[in-house]
Amino acid sequence: MKRDISDLDAYAFVPEPGGARVITAALAGGKAAVLVFGASGLENIVHPEMPAGCRLTSLAWSVDRKFLYADALCPSAEKSHRQIEFAEIPLQGGPVRMTPVAQLIASGSENEYDSFLRVSLSPDGRMLATSTGSLPGKALRNNADRGLYLVDLTDPNRKVTRAGIPKIPE
């Protein structure tokens, strides 16, 4: 069976906490995918039900291992921009919950910002974090979007809080 896997994120293999599986982001058939590897090799390809044109940039396991969390770069209403979003991906399939974070100015290659965005889950599984602080130059639509973003996973509305980057005196 042809799997048509491309753009494998070789830098973001994420082991299952206390388990035997490993996940990574990729494109399969031109769409965002999560590859699940076990002791015997590739066990599953999860095709998240998310907006067309979105790329997963990093992944984290939920505490109960039923969901995967990801930073996603998605098309924006403005063609020269991409939306950074948190994606909550059910491991068994189904619709993905998307939470907008900030906008990037798209320039250059499709995956130019992938290595700058890394999602992290708090040890208690209640908060999700990513940072736009390490994005290069004028990658953000607005420099005020530079910061640490936290999503409260206990809030049904997924409240997003931004902690700004401190100003450095010149």
Side-chain angles (χ1 to χ4, degrees):
M1 174 168 78
K2 184 177 178 190
R3 298 185 190 267
D4 197 19
I5 297 170
S6 62
D7 290 341
L8 178 71
D9 190 348
Y11 299 105
F13 281 91
V14 182
E16 179 180 23
R21 298 177 294 177
V22 174
I23 55 172
T24 194
L27 291 179
K31 295 181 180 179
V34 176
L35 306 182
V36 182
F37 294 92
S40 61
L42 183 61
E43 288 184 355
N44 190 18
I45 300 176
V46 178
H47 295 279
E49 293 178 25
M50 54 197 292
C54 290
R55 293 179 59 85
L56 302 175
T57 67
S58 69
L59 298 164
W61 290 89
S62 67
V63 172
D64 65 6
R65 295 180 231 146
K66 293 180 183 177
F67 287 86
L68 302 174
Y69 299 111
D71 278 327
L73 290 176
C74 297
S76 174
E78 296 177 59
K79 281 194 172 212
S80 63
H81 291 69
R82 289 194 192 110
Q83 182 70 35
I84 301 170
E85 302 197 28
F86 282 114
E88 296 178 57
I89 304 165
L91 194 54
Q92 299 304 317
V96 173
R97 183 175 188 156
M98 304 294 286
T99 304
V101 175
Q103 279 203 344
L104 284 172
I105 296 173
S107 63
S109 73
E110 175 93 2
N111 57 357
E112 119 181 74
Y113 300 121
D114 290 9
S115 63
F116 293 100
L117 297 170
R118 293 289 165 221
V119 68
S120 296
L121 182 67
S122 64
D124 64 6
R126 299 171 59 108
M127 298 293 283
L128 203 54
T130 197
S131 174
T132 57
S134 64
L135 286 166
K138 297 194 183 264
L140 294 167
R141 171 193 63 176
N142 170 338
N143 208 37
D145 287 343
R146 198 168 293 280
L148 173 68
Y149 288 86
L150 302 171
V151 175
D152 183 353
L153 296 173
T154 65
D155 182 338
N157 296 317
R158 297 304 192 251
K159 180 182 175 197
V160 177
T161 303
R162 184 184 69 81
I165 303 292
K167 291 190 179 197
I168 299 172
E170 294 182 19

